[in-house]
Amino acid sequence: MTRREIREIIFMLLFQLEFHNEADVKQTLEQYMSANENSLPADSEAVTKLFSSLSESETQYIHAVFKGVNEKRDEIDSIIEKHAQEWSLERITKVDLAVLRYCIYELTYLSDTVPDSISINEAVELVKKYSTDKSRAFVNGVLAAYWKELKGNTTQI
């Protein structure tokens, strides 16, 4: 499975968490699979295939990142609020919020394993796929502002 597909799974889980408020990673993963299989019959084969093709290490990675994002959620949310000028968390779409949380987690805690430019690009790609045209610029702007802060405003992506 590609890193992009794994990112998409994590995004989907984080997005579902917005509606279910479920902290248990394994249960949320199972709920996601079940909900998609039951509510999206046209996609159920693709969803089932996607989840059944996960290796043990990929499953562990997904669980670790999903759990990490949730453990650092308050910190991540304060970063989003700081860099989403004049936007409260309540105003940000659930899709954009899930993508921002995941990417900020990657930039903050996984930058030694995932290049920053790839994290930001992948976040924008997720938003292109699942959100609105305006969301691309918004998400890119928030992430670029945070990235510049992380790097001391002296480098370019």
Side-chain angles (χ1 to χ4, degrees):
M1 177 159 294
T2 67
R3 181 64 69 131
R4 177 174 279 183
E5 292 168 324
I6 290 171
R7 255 188 203 92
E8 194 163 353
I9 290 170
I10 294 168
F11 154 73
M12 290 174 182
L13 292 168
L14 292 169
F15 178 74
Q16 182 194 6
L17 197 61
E18 290 299 309
F19 301 99
H20 295 283
N21 239 354
E22 182 58 55
D24 179 21
V25 175
K26 185 175 181 181
Q27 186 177 12
T28 302
L29 179 58
E30 290 167 2
Q31 286 175 351
Y32 176 78
M33 291 171 62
S34 172
N36 278 288
E37 289 172 8
N38 294 329
S39 64
L40 300 172
D43 293 342
S44 65
E45 185 176 325
V47 171
T48 301
K49 182 181 176 186
L50 182 66
F51 281 96
S52 66
S53 66
L54 290 171
S55 70
E56 182 63 29
S57 65
E58 290 166 337
T59 301
Q60 288 174 354
Y61 178 80
I62 289 167
H63 283 240
V65 172
F66 182 75
K67 183 178 178 184
V69 171
N70 286 307
E71 287 174 352
K72 302 293 186 183
R73 187 174 175 154
D74 291 341
E75 178 184 332
I76 292 168
D77 285 353
S78 68
I79 291 168
I80 293 169
E81 286 181 316
K82 178 180 178 182
H83 296 287
Q85 299 171 352
E86 299 180 28
W87 282 76
S88 66
L89 292 178
E90 294 76 27
R91 269 187 77 198
I92 299 171
T93 69
K94 303 287 188 207
V95 169
D96 297 354
L97 195 54
V99 170
L100 284 167
R101 284 177 176 148
Y102 178 54
C103 188
I104 288 173
Y105 181 82
E106 268 193 343
L107 291 170
T108 307
Y109 300 101
L110 301 176
S111 65
D112 57 331
T113 59
V114 181
D116 295 345
S117 60
I118 299 226
S119 286
I120 293 170
N121 183 63
E122 290 293 323
V124 172
E125 290 300 317
L126 280 170
V127 170
K128 276 184 184 177
K129 185 173 182 178
Y130 293 103
S131 198
T132 66
D133 288 337
K134 289 183 180 181
S135 291
R136 283 184 252 173
F138 173 74
V139 167
N140 191 52
V142 171
L143 294 174
Y146 177 58
W147 184 83
K148 286 178 183 176
E149 178 184 288
L150 277 176
K151 302 302 175 188
N153 292 323
T154 59
T155 56
Q156 293 192 9
I157 298 175

